[in-house]
Every structure is written in C-alpha cells, then in structure tokens.
Amino acid sequence: MKIEQYRIIEKSKFDDFINSLITFSKVVAPVYKGFKNYIFQEIKSAEQVSLKYIPTIIPPKKYFMPQRETILQFDVNNELKVEPIVEYENLVLFGVHTCDIAGIKCLNMVLSDKPKDTAYLIRKKHITIIGLECNDYCDEYASCSFVGAHIPTTGYDLMFTDLGDYFIVHIHSSKGTDIIEKTGIFKPAKDNNIEELRNLRAQKLKIFNNEVPTERRYLPDLFDRSFNASVWKELEQKCLSCGNCTAVCPTCYCFDIKDDVDLTLKVGERYRIWFSCQLDPFAKVAGGIDFRKERSARQRHRFYRKFRYHIDRYGMVFCTGCGRCSRTCMAKINLKEVLTSLIKESEAKIWRKWL
Amino acid sequence: MAKVVIKDSPYNVKRAKILDIKSLTEKEKLFKIVFEDRSWLDFEPGQFIMVSLAGIGEIPISVCSSPLNRHYFEICVRAVGKVTNSLHRLNVGDIIGVRGPYGNGFPIKMIEGHDLLIIAGGLGLAPLRSLILYAIDNRRDFGEIHMLLGCKTPKELLFVDEIEEWGRRMDLHFACTVDRADPDWKGNVGLITSLIPGVDIDPLRTYAAVVGPPIMYKFVIKELLAKGLPVDQILLSFERHMKCGMGKCGRCQIQNLYCCKDGPVFTFKEIMDMAEAL
Amino acid sequence: MSKPKVAFFDFACCEGCQLQVANIGELLIDVLDIIQVVEFREVMSEKWDGEFDVAFVEGSITDEHAVKRIKKIRERSKILVALGSCATIGGVNGMKNSFQLEEVGRYVYGEFYKFFPTIHTKAVHQVVKVDYFINGCPIYIPEFVTVLKSILQGIPYYVPEYPVCVECKLNENVCMYDRGLTCMGPVTKAGCNSWCINNGNICYGCRGLTINPNIEGFKEVLKNYKIPEDFLMKKIDMYNKCKELDKQ
Ligand SMILES: Cc1cc2nc3c(=O)[nH]c(=O)nc-3n(C[C@H](O)[C@H](O)[C@H](O)COP(=O)(O)OP(=O)(O)OC[C@H]3O[C@@H](n4cnc5c(N)ncnc54)[C@H](O)[C@@H]3O)c2cc1C
Ligand code: SF4
Ligand code: SF4
Ligand code: SF4
Ligand code: SF4
Ligand code: SF4
Ligand code: FES
C-alpha cells in the first residue's frame, strides 16, 4: 500500500463531492427503487445515492454493453450504404462494488479478445469507475469471497472504502487522479488511515468466509465430474426458463442481432440485444432441432459457462459471486445450493470409488 | 450521447455485387458474387461468410466455390426463411453485404497426401463442393478421392452438371443415391449410409469429410467407424444458429467450443464425448 | 408502386385493438403514407369490394355465420393478419369453451338460445390460414408497426418464443413478486416490451402462454409465494382456452 496513492474524505464532505462531480460529468450511482431493489441510474444530486445497497437489478454492464445497442446504420435509398457506429458518452459510475468490477473485467476479457469489439472498447474508454468496498456481506446470496471478488484488486479508477467517519480512497489511474484534482475535496492519507484500512481488511477476512464448501482451484475437476449430476435433473422441474438469472448476471454477454427499418423501409439499423441460453429459441436450428431442449441442459450450460468453459478459454471464473441470479429467481434456484449439491454428489462418488 | 462511425467494427460489411444467379432446384439458388472493390475473398474450403441484407438480417452461408478462384466466389442458398427467401428475390446486379470468412474449414494441409472420402447429404454438398473443386484443382496432391452424394429425391440434386462431370472423371470414384427415386432415376436408391460399406478405401490413409443434415451424422459416423476410420480422420461440419461468427454471441456454443470459431469443421475426435454436439 | 390496400374486420371482440390502431397518434400520418386503408369500420363508412392486399382481422370466430364470413375474407386477401388476443388465441371469448355450449346459449339468450346457434370459440387460425399474428389485449402498437413493416418487406414476423420476463428484465423493472404481487410474465409470450409492468401493473397474460411453458414449475413458484393454484389456472384459462383446439 503506497501511501501517496491514498486520499481521505470526511463523510460530511461526501455530498459535496458527489455534487461537484455532477457539475462536470454525467454521474451514475445506485438508487433505491423500493422493495429491496436498487438500480444504477443517473443522479442529479447526492441524496439520491444509496451508499448501502445490495447488488442492483441489472449490473453496471448495461453501460458497457447496453441492453439494445445499434451496431450498424444503413440506407438503401439509392444503393446500399452501411456505416458501423458506436454510441457513447462520458460517464462516471459511482459506487461499484468489487463483485461488479470483477464482472466488468470478465466482459473486458471476452470483448477485447480477437476480433475486438471496437464499440465496447470505445465505450469503456469513456467510463470512469469509482468503486465502493463492501465491509460486510450484502446479503445471504453473495458468494464473492469464493471467487475472490470481495477485496479490491484492479479494474477501477478510484476505490472508496468506508472507515467510519471518513472514506479512504485508493487512486488507481490517472482518470482517478483527475477526479481527485477537479473536485478538490480530498486530503492526503496519513499512516493511521492506512493502518485502519489494514485493520478493516483483516477484519474482512474473518467476516467473509468461503461460502461454498470447496476451493476455487478445484472447480475444473468438480465440473469435469459433474456433467451428468442429478442436480441438473432437479432443475428441469423447477426452472421456468424465464432467463432472469442470465439477464441480471454481470458476466453474461450472449446476444442476438436484429435489423429494424423505419416506415420508409429504406433506412434502418442493425442492433444487438441481450439474449439468453435459457430461452427456447437459443440453440434451435432449422427443422426444429434443439441442441439444448431440456431446461436441465440449459441450466447446466449456464453453470458450465460460469465455472468451467471460460476457465479453459480465458483463464477466469466467470462468476463474481454477486448473488443476483439467486436473488432474482422466482423458482428459488440458488447458485450456492447448486454448487454445494454438486460438491456433495461428486464427493460421494469419489468415496464410493475408494471404498 | 456521441455517435461516431467505426470503420474497423467487426460488424462492418463489405459491399458485394451479385454477378449471376442460377436456379439449381426449386429451393436452391447459386449466387456468383464479387466484392465491389474487386478485393478477393481469401477463404478455405469449409469456411463460411455472413451474408446480410440491410433491414432484413444476416446469416451464415458456406462459400461453395473453389478458394483458388480469384474472380468471384459462389454461395448456394436454400430458401427457408427470412433472409434466404429475400436473397432468392434478388436480381443480378443487386448489392448485398458480406463479412468474413469465418471459422476453421477443412484442414487441407492435413488431408493432402491422403485419400479423401467425401460424404455429402443434401445441402451439405455446398461447403464440400469447395473442397472437391480444390482437390480437383490440386489433384496430384491427394490420393484416391471418393465421393458419396445423397439427397431426398432426384429433383433435389444440386450441381447436376458438375456431378455428371465428376461421375465421368477417371480420377474420382463417384456414387450418388436418392431416398426416393422418380421414374427417370437410374442411380442408387436408399440412404447415403447404404453406400459406405461398398466403398473401397484404405481406412488408415483416408480422411472422410462429412456434411449433411444433423440426423445424418450419427449413422454415417457409425458406418465409418465400422470401416475402421480413425476418429481423428473423420471431419464433420456443424450447423448451429450463428449471430456474430466471432465466438461472442454464444449462440453456436457446443460445451466449451464455439462452432463459428473453433469449427464449423471438427474432427469426430474433438466432439465424440460431447453431449449436445450431435 | 401503388400503396397496398389494407382493410380491418371485426368478429367477436371488444374492438379495442382496432381502437388502438385508430389512435396510434403521430405515427398515423407516416403509416398512411405507405398503405391505403380501404375498409375500417372504426373510422370510416366506405366499403371496398375488390381484393385486399392485407386484411387485419380482429376478434374470434364464434358462430357459423362468422366462419363463412372469415372464409370469404380469406379468399379476398393476399395476406391475412390476426389482430389481438381474440383473433390470435381466442382470447377472453375462449372462456366460453369451459362450458357446455347449451349452457352458454341459455345464459346469453335465455330460453330462445336455440335460435342463436353457437359453436366453440375459435381463434382465426383455427378456421383459415393466418400469415401474421399480432398478440395482445389490446395489441401493443410498436409491435403492430413492426409487423406492418415486415408485411411490406415481404418477410415473416416471428412472435418471440420467450416469456415477458425477458423484456421486463431488460427494462430493469422491480419484479412484481418482490412487490408481493403475482405476475403472469414467466409463462406469457413476450413481444409487448413488458408494457404493463413498465406502467406499474402486473402482467395478466393477455398474449397467451409462451411456447413450452413450465406450468408445473410455475405452480410450485406460486405455492412458495402462497398463492392458490386455481388462481393460476383461472388466469391461464382467461386467455388460453382455445389452445386446446390446436391439439385436436
Ligand atoms: C456454418 C453454416 C453454414 C451454412 N451454410 C449454408 C449454405 O451454404 N447454404 C444455405 O442455404 N444455408 C446454409 N446455412 C444455413 C443458413 O444459415 C440458414 O438456413 C439461415 O440462417 C436461415 O436464415 P433465414 O433468415 O432465411 O431463416 P429464418 O427466418 O431465420 O428461419 C429459418 C427456419 O426456422 C424457422 N424459424 C426461425 N425462427 C423462428 C421463430 N422464431 N418462430 C418460428 N419459426 C422460426 C423458419 O420458419 C424457417 O423454417 C449454414 C449455416 C451455418 C451455421
Ligand atoms: S431465473 Fe430461475 S427460473 Fe428463470 S431461467 Fe433462471 S433459473 Fe430458471
Ligand atoms: S452466476 Fe449469479 S452469482 Fe455468479 S456472477 Fe452471475 S449472477 Fe452473479
Ligand atoms: S457480492 Fe460481495 S462484493 Fe458484491 S455486493 Fe455482495 S458483499 Fe459486496
Ligand atoms: S415483474 Fe413479472 S414479467 Fe417482470 S420479471 Fe417479475 S415475473 Fe417476470
Ligand atoms: S405485460 Fe402481459 S398483460 Fe401486459 S401486454 Fe404484455 S402480455 Fe399482455
Ligand atoms: S456465432 Fe456468435 S459465438 Fe458463434
């Protein structure tokens, strides 16, 4: 911890900070929507911000890869004219939890893999991420420590950590420095501030336990053994294939591409829109053949996308432990429980082999 | 919200002109296409392109001409839905959008020096035609070449003129079958699998390239294994829904493989233990 | 190219969907730029006796007279579009099919019911071929416009094969279940852009069941939320009764 990278801001000054931020940039932050639901949305004043919030309905991926995004514009009035486009704006995301930062890192991995998704990269360049560390669990659905997403590491410009009367702020990029300078409210950190941050992190080690009874490094083995596990069959009956678990997941990025024209039928756009492996048409091909017809196969696919396939391809676990999928599922399909069942079943099998 | 044009977007399409259209059957048309800027589509047999009609959509289509043809490329399109029917309504001179090529085609370098057994069911002949033309153009680099073609009825036979020519060639072993004959049909009747036991191949020296409707694969593979072909010498091309062609949209995923990026051509070995593949 | 001739017809229904079309507001001028409306009882008295390029049919088919009439319309139309829940899935009229026909007749027409022969309520496609389906009670105007454009482009319009929840999540609504309400979204065909939920109402399933709905799983969900099972079945019956005729 290099002390010169840290600043502090008293809580009494927090509103001033947000209000000053708003004067020079569009700011997006978690806002309460009632019934224990929060969403990231543009704020016009500091009171709107919820500093204590559980993960929002949709993660901040919506700013990096919007639900519906124009990728091409065309005009066939005379002859085909096509222009690939990107729409972007300068944005400051305030209050992003470490799990959601991990989610953005997953998206970065995929969309900067070749061929690069130019539009994504441009949008990303214009977004500033100000993180907000969790000192305690958001709720019982979280499994961020299992995947190591509960402690800030990288992927943000500034990171706010609540230390009682004040926040300690880690500056991680020159974009972050700019904000510190422009708002002019921050004070240099002293040794005792760093000491308090260290204490908090030590305290967190006690609070955040491995939420799932295995370790991350055993995931590939576990999943290699679990393709025909009975858990999937149980999900067949429960799952409604509503796609909610994937829509809210910070690391889901599957999409559909469609065309739309205006009423002249000559001018229009091609757009991409979030789609989900849980939905019926996803893996269907001509002749009505569906390669993942059963809901169980689709659920299994979701879990393998999170915990197995992308480990080989991108060297990362594609779950941030944010708990959104479990929180949103009406059928009460719970990620931690599914993983636990897989582990139990797999252990039982291994024991049987030994005995 | 700022809006800028990004020419290097991977979704950008190149304008391409239809030079010629030929009806092959009631449902299939052959399009001869050239890029407007006269650039050359550098592809391998078995690769595909994304063909788009502005305002209607974009679909994956295999290139079916010889990769050595520098003047134009061809696609053979069956009219089944939105984009394909709209393509069928186009005329010579019309402009379409093309991006690609994408995917891994047939591993030519591996096949060269070996015998080649081509098994094409129905529209599967389209991507295989590209391989056949390549092999014919480079005939001396390949050993024996066997071709088995099958389709439902004689009316559905694609590339009839070429097939006749292939049938006459001395340096190709050729057999063709239809599921249901009509009175004029003089060839074999029966499923394509029925032709496999009869082909005279040296299984260890032979690569089989198989493309056809999904239901065909299981039966053909069974026959090929019975013949003694090694699992890594059976090449299959898969069809999946594809939206991006670049391993991103997830539509074509078969377990940890993306059909568009890692395929569409796979060896049987790669996918034999994979549920959801066949 | 002359503008396609378009007509609107109504059968057993509330005519709410035609009203939606008649009230599309600003878009109307642009729409009238590309089509010629030749018959539309809701807004004009003229009739047309030639061929229709496109016929929009609202309402379900509930008697022999209607069967004859819809067959005539089909013959005169190049493209036939079922408009609204009554036409696409039988809609609320389908509830009649839960009762014996005689009972229905007696209820509606009293002792003279025999003079008013009635048949099982049918969706339009259960009587004649339908080229395009626009679901909803009432229809959702943006979808109507999309279908209209598809027709003019000569391409099919596929009704989404996934539930309303998908659109609802993209709109980032607070889920009705979190509000302590029951919502038909998980088993209802999408395409309305979760219109009702966006406006603070539950989805009452007006577009009909999605393909391949997990009804048993949905019953479990309702059980968890302590909602009586027949609540669901009643809601499903409200719009989906005619579906049973598809199976026959
Ligand atoms: C690698 C690859 C190579 C290919 N090569 C060729 C080739 O060389 N030649 C060729 O002809 N084809 C080829 N195909 C197949 C081709 O891509 C498809 O036929 C094409 O995408 C169909 O597009 P469409 O818009 O015409 O059909 P769509 O309108 O998308 O529909 C296709 C079929 O599905 C049905 N359908 C689709 N969506 C729905 C829905 N929501 N509701 C109801 N029905 C629906 C339609 O009725 C129709 O029967 C290839 C595919 C792949 C993956
Ligand atoms: S949210 Fe639940 S019910 Fe819906 S698709 Fe996901 S697991 Fe299935
Ligand atoms: S799988 Fe669930 S817990 Fe994991 S990142 Fe996605 S929504 Fe969050
Ligand atoms: S999952 Fe972990 S990091 Fe994310 S909000 Fe909850 S406690 Fe914070
Ligand atoms: S409000 Fe209704 S449609 Fe929306 S997610 Fe909840 S159940 Fe689905
Ligand atoms: S939300 Fe439900 S009730 Fe409302 S229009 Fe859509 S399908 Fe109909
Ligand atoms: S087509 Fe998009 S991932 Fe393969």
mmCIF file of all heavy atoms in Angstrom, chain C residues 200-226:
data_model
loop_
_atom_site.group_PDB
_atom_site.id
_atom_site.type_symbol
_atom_site.label_atom_id
_atom_site.label_comp_id
_atom_site.label_asym_id
_atom_site.label_seq_id
_atom_site.Cartn_x
_atom_site.Cartn_y
_atom_site.Cartn_z
ATOM 1 N N GLY C 200 -46.392 -0.224 -14.043
ATOM 2 C CA GLY C 200 -46.785 -0.482 -12.662
ATOM 3 C C GLY C 200 -47.864 -1.530 -12.477
ATOM 4 O O GLY C 200 -48.336 -1.743 -11.360
ATOM 5 N N ASN C 201 -48.293 -2.176 -13.547
ATOM 6 C CA ASN C 201 -49.292 -3.240 -13.400
ATOM 7 C C ASN C 201 -48.633 -4.605 -13.519
ATOM 8 O O ASN C 201 -47.553 -4.729 -14.076
ATOM 9 C CB ASN C 201 -50.347 -3.122 -14.498
ATOM 10 C CG ASN C 201 -51.034 -1.784 -14.455
ATOM 11 O OD1 ASN C 201 -51.451 -1.329 -13.397
ATOM 12 N ND2 ASN C 201 -51.112 -1.129 -15.600
ATOM 13 N N ILE C 202 -49.326 -5.634 -13.057
ATOM 14 C CA ILE C 202 -48.818 -6.979 -13.277
ATOM 15 C C ILE C 202 -49.080 -7.366 -14.729
ATOM 16 O O ILE C 202 -49.897 -6.748 -15.408
ATOM 17 C CB ILE C 202 -49.507 -8.021 -12.366
ATOM 18 C CG1 ILE C 202 -51.013 -8.015 -12.621
ATOM 19 C CG2 ILE C 202 -49.184 -7.785 -10.910
ATOM 20 C CD1 ILE C 202 -51.708 -9.283 -12.223
ATOM 21 N N CYS C 203 -48.411 -8.404 -15.185
ATOM 22 C CA CYS C 203 -48.757 -8.985 -16.478
ATOM 23 C C CYS C 203 -49.913 -9.927 -16.215
ATOM 24 O O CYS C 203 -49.812 -10.815 -15.366
ATOM 25 C CB CYS C 203 -47.568 -9.750 -17.038
ATOM 26 S SG CYS C 203 -48.010 -10.801 -18.437
ATOM 27 N N TYR C 204 -51.020 -9.727 -16.899
ATOM 28 C CA TYR C 204 -52.132 -10.649 -16.691
ATOM 29 C C TYR C 204 -52.222 -11.690 -17.803
ATOM 30 O O TYR C 204 -53.225 -12.367 -17.972
ATOM 31 C CB TYR C 204 -53.448 -9.921 -16.433
ATOM 32 C CG TYR C 204 -53.836 -8.907 -17.484
ATOM 33 C CD1 TYR C 204 -54.765 -9.233 -18.471
ATOM 34 C CD2 TYR C 204 -53.297 -7.633 -17.465
ATOM 35 C CE1 TYR C 204 -55.119 -8.299 -19.431
ATOM 36 C CE2 TYR C 204 -53.638 -6.697 -18.435
ATOM 37 C CZ TYR C 204 -54.548 -7.047 -19.410
ATOM 38 O OH TYR C 204 -54.896 -6.128 -20.356
ATOM 39 N N GLY C 205 -51.167 -11.789 -18.580
ATOM 40 C CA GLY C 205 -51.051 -12.909 -19.509
ATOM 41 C C GLY C 205 -51.835 -12.762 -20.786
ATOM 42 O O GLY C 205 -52.193 -13.741 -21.433
ATOM 43 N N CYS C 206 -52.074 -11.518 -21.212
ATOM 44 C CA CYS C 206 -53.008 -11.307 -22.315
ATOM 45 C C CYS C 206 -52.502 -11.858 -23.644
ATOM 46 O O CYS C 206 -53.281 -12.098 -24.543
ATOM 47 C CB CYS C 206 -53.331 -9.826 -22.451
ATOM 48 S SG CYS C 206 -52.077 -8.888 -23.289
ATOM 49 N N ARG C 207 -51.203 -12.078 -23.775
ATOM 50 C CA ARG C 207 -50.691 -12.548 -25.073
ATOM 51 C C ARG C 207 -50.717 -14.057 -25.195
ATOM 52 O O ARG C 207 -50.328 -14.613 -26.212
ATOM 53 C CB ARG C 207 -49.273 -12.009 -25.308
ATOM 54 C CG ARG C 207 -49.237 -10.494 -25.345
ATOM 55 C CD ARG C 207 -47.828 -9.973 -25.349
ATOM 56 N NE ARG C 207 -47.071 -10.498 -26.456
ATOM 57 C CZ ARG C 207 -47.041 -9.953 -27.677
ATOM 58 N NH1 ARG C 207 -47.723 -8.865 -27.920
ATOM 59 N NH2 ARG C 207 -46.325 -10.505 -28.621
ATOM 60 N N GLY C 208 -51.145 -14.701 -24.146
ATOM 61 C CA GLY C 208 -51.222 -16.156 -24.200
ATOM 62 C C GLY C 208 -49.949 -16.800 -23.694
ATOM 63 O O GLY C 208 -48.915 -16.148 -23.510
ATOM 64 N N LEU C 209 -50.031 -18.104 -23.471
ATOM 65 C CA LEU C 209 -48.892 -18.834 -22.929
ATOM 66 C C LEU C 209 -47.740 -18.834 -23.918
ATOM 67 O O LEU C 209 -47.942 -18.958 -25.119
ATOM 68 C CB LEU C 209 -49.286 -20.282 -22.641
ATOM 69 C CG LEU C 209 -50.186 -20.531 -21.436
ATOM 70 C CD1 LEU C 209 -50.502 -22.014 -21.312
ATOM 71 C CD2 LEU C 209 -49.548 -20.011 -20.156
ATOM 72 N N THR C 210 -46.529 -18.737 -23.380
ATOM 73 C CA THR C 210 -45.344 -18.844 -24.212
ATOM 74 C C THR C 210 -45.228 -20.290 -24.697
ATOM 75 O O THR C 210 -45.878 -21.176 -24.146
ATOM 76 C CB THR C 210 -44.090 -18.437 -23.412
ATOM 77 O OG1 THR C 210 -42.961 -18.580 -24.255
ATOM 78 C CG2 THR C 210 -43.905 -19.286 -22.189
ATOM 79 N N ILE C 211 -44.404 -20.532 -25.724
ATOM 80 C CA ILE C 211 -44.250 -21.910 -26.147
ATOM 81 C C ILE C 211 -43.539 -22.651 -25.025
ATOM 82 O O ILE C 211 -42.685 -22.103 -24.344
ATOM 83 C CB ILE C 211 -43.460 -22.068 -27.472
ATOM 84 C CG1 ILE C 211 -42.035 -21.544 -27.333
ATOM 85 C CG2 ILE C 211 -44.152 -21.417 -28.631
ATOM 86 C CD1 ILE C 211 -41.101 -22.166 -28.353
ATOM 87 N N ASN C 212 -43.920 -23.886 -24.835
ATOM 88 C CA ASN C 212 -43.220 -24.711 -23.875
ATOM 89 C C ASN C 212 -43.160 -24.124 -22.458
ATOM 90 O O ASN C 212 -42.101 -24.068 -21.848
ATOM 91 C CB ASN C 212 -41.789 -24.919 -24.413
ATOM 92 C CG ASN C 212 -41.115 -26.092 -23.770
ATOM 93 O OD1 ASN C 212 -41.762 -26.868 -23.053
ATOM 94 N ND2 ASN C 212 -39.828 -26.226 -23.978
ATOM 95 N N PRO C 213 -44.287 -23.656 -21.921
ATOM 96 C CA PRO C 213 -44.243 -23.078 -20.572
ATOM 97 C C PRO C 213 -44.107 -24.183 -19.523
ATOM 98 O O PRO C 213 -44.596 -25.291 -19.725
ATOM 99 C CB PRO C 213 -45.606 -22.396 -20.442
ATOM 100 C CG PRO C 213 -46.508 -23.173 -21.340
ATOM 101 C CD PRO C 213 -45.663 -23.709 -22.454
ATOM 102 N N ASN C 214 -43.425 -23.884 -18.436
ATOM 103 C CA ASN C 214 -43.295 -24.862 -17.363
ATOM 104 C C ASN C 214 -44.392 -24.612 -16.325
ATOM 105 O O ASN C 214 -44.170 -23.989 -15.290
ATOM 106 C CB ASN C 214 -41.905 -24.752 -16.733
ATOM 107 C CG ASN C 214 -41.672 -25.790 -15.659
ATOM 108 O OD1 ASN C 214 -42.557 -26.589 -15.350
ATOM 109 N ND2 ASN C 214 -40.485 -25.790 -15.088
ATOM 110 N N ILE C 215 -45.586 -25.106 -16.647
ATOM 111 C CA ILE C 215 -46.745 -24.827 -15.797
ATOM 112 C C ILE C 215 -46.565 -25.450 -14.415
ATOM 113 O O ILE C 215 -46.838 -24.816 -13.394
ATOM 114 C CB ILE C 215 -48.040 -25.366 -16.452
ATOM 115 C CG1 ILE C 215 -48.277 -24.664 -17.795
ATOM 116 C CG2 ILE C 215 -49.241 -25.167 -15.540
ATOM 117 C CD1 ILE C 215 -48.571 -23.199 -17.697
ATOM 118 N N GLU C 216 -46.067 -26.688 -14.385
ATOM 119 C CA GLU C 216 -45.894 -27.340 -13.082
ATOM 120 C C GLU C 216 -44.911 -26.554 -12.223
ATOM 121 O O GLU C 216 -45.147 -26.342 -11.034
ATOM 122 C CB GLU C 216 -45.402 -28.784 -13.275
ATOM 123 C CG GLU C 216 -46.450 -29.713 -13.871
ATOM 124 C CD GLU C 216 -47.804 -29.616 -13.165
ATOM 125 O OE1 GLU C 216 -47.811 -29.751 -11.918
ATOM 126 O OE2 GLU C 216 -48.832 -29.386 -13.838
ATOM 127 N N GLY C 217 -43.819 -26.139 -12.846
ATOM 128 C CA GLY C 217 -42.834 -25.350 -12.112
ATOM 129 C C GLY C 217 -43.431 -24.035 -11.628
ATOM 130 O O GLY C 217 -43.168 -23.586 -10.512
ATOM 131 N N PHE C 218 -44.273 -23.460 -12.441
ATOM 132 C CA PHE C 218 -44.894 -22.186 -12.078
ATOM 133 C C PHE C 218 -45.844 -22.374 -10.895
ATOM 134 O O PHE C 218 -45.927 -21.533 -10.006
ATOM 135 C CB PHE C 218 -45.621 -21.603 -13.297
ATOM 136 C CG PHE C 218 -45.972 -20.142 -13.134
ATOM 137 C CD1 PHE C 218 -45.053 -19.246 -12.614
ATOM 138 C CD2 PHE C 218 -47.217 -19.666 -13.524
ATOM 139 C CE1 PHE C 218 -45.367 -17.898 -12.464
ATOM 140 C CE2 PHE C 218 -47.542 -18.324 -13.383
ATOM 141 C CZ PHE C 218 -46.620 -17.437 -12.854
ATOM 142 N N LYS C 219 -46.539 -23.528 -10.881
ATOM 143 C CA LYS C 219 -47.416 -23.810 -9.739
ATOM 144 C C LYS C 219 -46.598 -23.877 -8.446
ATOM 145 O O LYS C 219 -47.027 -23.373 -7.413
ATOM 146 C CB LYS C 219 -48.133 -25.147 -9.951
ATOM 147 C CG LYS C 219 -49.295 -25.072 -10.930
ATOM 148 C CD LYS C 219 -50.000 -26.419 -10.974
ATOM 149 C CE LYS C 219 -51.001 -26.478 -12.105
ATOM 150 N NZ LYS C 219 -51.344 -27.876 -12.438
ATOM 151 N N GLU C 220 -45.407 -24.490 -8.563
ATOM 152 C CA GLU C 220 -44.529 -24.572 -7.387
ATOM 153 C C GLU C 220 -44.161 -23.169 -6.901
ATOM 154 O O GLU C 220 -44.164 -22.889 -5.705
ATOM 155 C CB GLU C 220 -43.244 -25.328 -7.736
ATOM 156 C CG GLU C 220 -43.361 -26.843 -7.716
ATOM 157 C CD GLU C 220 -43.860 -27.364 -6.381
ATOM 158 O OE1 GLU C 220 -43.233 -27.023 -5.348
ATOM 159 O OE2 GLU C 220 -44.879 -28.084 -6.366
ATOM 160 N N VAL C 221 -43.833 -22.321 -7.863
ATOM 161 C CA VAL C 221 -43.460 -20.956 -7.504
ATOM 162 C C VAL C 221 -44.597 -20.288 -6.750
ATOM 163 O O VAL C 221 -44.407 -19.702 -5.689
ATOM 164 C CB VAL C 221 -43.133 -20.134 -8.774
ATOM 165 C CG1 VAL C 221 -42.995 -18.653 -8.446
ATOM 166 C CG2 VAL C 221 -41.862 -20.660 -9.420
ATOM 167 N N LEU C 222 -45.809 -20.436 -7.294
ATOM 168 C CA LEU C 222 -46.954 -19.786 -6.649
ATOM 169 C C LEU C 222 -47.165 -20.352 -5.249
ATOM 170 O O LEU C 222 -47.517 -19.628 -4.320
ATOM 171 C CB LEU C 222 -48.208 -19.963 -7.508
ATOM 172 C CG LEU C 222 -48.129 -19.277 -8.869
ATOM 173 C CD1 LEU C 222 -49.443 -19.407 -9.613
ATOM 174 C CD2 LEU C 222 -47.759 -17.805 -8.730
ATOM 175 N N LYS C 223 -46.916 -21.666 -5.127
ATOM 176 C CA LYS C 223 -47.047 -22.276 -3.810
ATOM 177 C C LYS C 223 -46.088 -21.604 -2.834
ATOM 178 O O LYS C 223 -46.453 -21.252 -1.719
ATOM 179 C CB LYS C 223 -46.747 -23.776 -3.920
ATOM 180 C CG LYS C 223 -47.651 -24.631 -3.042
ATOM 181 C CD LYS C 223 -47.225 -26.083 -3.037
ATOM 182 C CE LYS C 223 -47.883 -26.896 -4.166
ATOM 183 N NZ LYS C 223 -47.243 -28.227 -4.311
ATOM 184 N N ASN C 224 -44.857 -21.401 -3.301
ATOM 185 C CA ASN C 224 -43.865 -20.739 -2.451
ATOM 186 C C ASN C 224 -44.321 -19.347 -2.039
ATOM 187 O O ASN C 224 -43.995 -18.866 -0.976
ATOM 188 C CB ASN C 224 -42.527 -20.611 -3.185
ATOM 189 C CG ASN C 224 -41.777 -21.914 -3.204
ATOM 190 O OD1 ASN C 224 -41.994 -22.768 -2.346
ATOM 191 N ND2 ASN C 224 -40.901 -22.088 -4.182
ATOM 192 N N TYR C 225 -45.008 -18.697 -2.940
ATOM 193 C CA TYR C 225 -45.488 -17.360 -2.628
ATOM 194 C C TYR C 225 -46.884 -17.399 -2.007
ATOM 195 O O TYR C 225 -47.543 -16.383 -1.891
ATOM 196 C CB TYR C 225 -45.471 -16.474 -3.878
ATOM 197 C CG TYR C 225 -44.087 -16.033 -4.261
ATOM 198 C CD1 TYR C 225 -43.308 -16.787 -5.132
ATOM 199 C CD2 TYR C 225 -43.532 -14.860 -3.732
ATOM 200 C CE1 TYR C 225 -42.028 -16.395 -5.471
ATOM 201 C CE2 TYR C 225 -42.253 -14.456 -4.072
ATOM 202 C CZ TYR C 225 -41.494 -15.232 -4.947
ATOM 203 O OH TYR C 225 -40.229 -14.840 -5.281
ATOM 204 N N LYS C 226 -47.327 -18.615 -1.689
ATOM 205 C CA LYS C 226 -48.621 -18.817 -1.009
ATOM 206 C C LYS C 226 -49.801 -18.276 -1.819
ATOM 207 O O LYS C 226 -50.686 -17.611 -1.304
ATOM 208 C CB LYS C 226 -48.597 -18.178 0.387
ATOM 209 C CG LYS C 226 -47.450 -18.691 1.242
ATOM 210 C CD LYS C 226 -47.773 -18.599 2.712
ATOM 211 C CE LYS C 226 -46.711 -19.218 3.592
ATOM 212 N NZ LYS C 226 -45.389 -19.442 3.033
#
